[in-house]
């Protein structure tokens, strides 16, 4: 989360746009559990028009993606070691805590359920075969015309490369989903 002064300036700008649709997308909100922080975000974005969207992805897609993000943030743990930690049973392990903090869909739902009425809390299961699926959902939530939002090609394709510390281990193909909240003002 940014410093409070940065957040306050951002929230003020969102409030100035009260007559417009605003979409704030961040996976960082998924790791929040502090009710005061969540309330500050909800109030800052305009609780009366806030929608919270949790996107659920299959584990076999989420796990490598989460590890890759960790590596991009200067992590050095091998995929097989990280995977053993995340799928292990030691909640004291840093990799375990970091992953499950934002990827425990039930925990995300419990943390955010008080922030908005049930009708404005949405859980979306991503469709890995249709890359426009989430765009269509956000078009509907934001009241935009069909196909108004478009996929943009990646500017930096480095996230598609396999880092040198990839060990070749893989998951068992489980299709259990995890949550990634996205907050939108609409």
């Amino acid at each position: 989360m940014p410093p409070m002064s940065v957040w306050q300036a951002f929230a003020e700008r969102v409030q100035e746009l009260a007559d417009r649709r605003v979409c704030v997308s961040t996976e960082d909100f998924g790791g929040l559990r502090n009710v005061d922080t969540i309330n500050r975000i909800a109030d800052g974005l305009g609780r009366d028009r806030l929608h919270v969207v949790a996107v659920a992805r299959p584990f076999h897609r989420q796990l490598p993606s989460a590890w890759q993000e960790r590596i991009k943030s200067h992590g050095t743990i091998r995929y097989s070691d990280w995977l053993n930690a995340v799928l292990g049973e030691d909640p004291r392990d840093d990799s375990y805590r970091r992953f499950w903090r934002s990827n425990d869909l039930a925990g995300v739902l419990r943390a955010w359920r008080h922030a908005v009425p049930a009708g404005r809390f949405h859980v979306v299961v991503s469709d890995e075969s249709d890359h426009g699926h989430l765009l269509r959902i956000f078009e509907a939530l934001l009241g935009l015309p069909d196909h108004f939002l478009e996929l943009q090609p990646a500017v930096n394709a480095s996230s598609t490369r396999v880092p040198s510390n990839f060990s070749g281990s893989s998951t068992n193909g489980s299709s259990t989903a995890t949550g990634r909240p996205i907050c939108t003002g609409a």
Side-chain angles (χ1 to χ4, degrees):
M1 294 301 295
M4 183 54 70
S5 60
V6 173
W7 171 255
Q8 287 173 331
F10 177 78
E12 287 172 12
R13 179 67 179 134
V14 169
Q15 292 296 330
E16 290 170 5
L17 300 171
D19 61 333
R20 296 186 152 182
R21 297 175 189 105
V22 177
C23 180
V24 178
S25 174
T26 178
E27 294 181 16
D28 292 339
F29 290 169
L32 297 176
R33 296 297 184 270
N34 181 285
V35 173
D36 292 336
T37 302
I38 291 170
N39 281 329
R40 189 168 51 246
I41 290 168
D43 292 338
L45 295 176
R47 186 184 301 263
D48 60 321
R49 65 189 194 135
L50 181 68
H51 288 250
V52 175
V53 181
V55 179
R57 291 181 71 193
F59 269 156
H60 74 283
R61 299 277 190 210
Q62 184 62 19
L63 287 166
S65 175
W67 172 75
Q68 223 170 26
E69 289 301 316
R70 175 98 183 246
I71 297 304
K72 285 196 292 187
S73 298
H74 309 292
T76 57
I77 189 170
R78 292 171 53 99
Y79 183 64
S80 59
D81 296 336
W82 179 86
L83 197 58
N84 285 329
V86 166
L87 298 177
E89 297 181 10
D90 184 1
R92 297 169 299 172
D93 182 88
D94 183 57
S95 294
Y96 180 96
R97 277 194 326 271
R98 284 176 155 202
F99 179 81
W100 289 109
R101 182 76 164 169
S102 61
N103 290 286
D104 170 17
L105 185 54
V108 171
L109 295 171
R110 279 191 302 276
W112 282 88
R113 71 177 174 216
H114 70 279
V116 296
R120 286 191 276 132
F121 195 110
H122 314 277
V123 177
V124 177
V125 178
S126 71
D127 180 352
E128 302 291 326
S129 68
D130 179 2
H131 296 291
H133 176 71
L134 288 177
L135 297 179
R136 305 296 79 82
I137 289 171
F138 278 94
E139 287 168 348
L141 283 173
L142 295 167
L144 299 172
D146 289 346
H147 300 283
F148 181 83
L149 300 174
E150 297 177 357
L151 288 173
Q152 298 296 317
V155 174
N156 179 352
S158 65
S159 66
T160 61
R161 288 180 300 176
V162 177
S164 60
N165 57 352
F166 183 75
S167 71
S169 296
S170 65
T171 65
N172 65 4
S174 170
S175 61
T176 306
T178 62
R180 298 181 339 172
I182 300 168
C183 295
T184 66

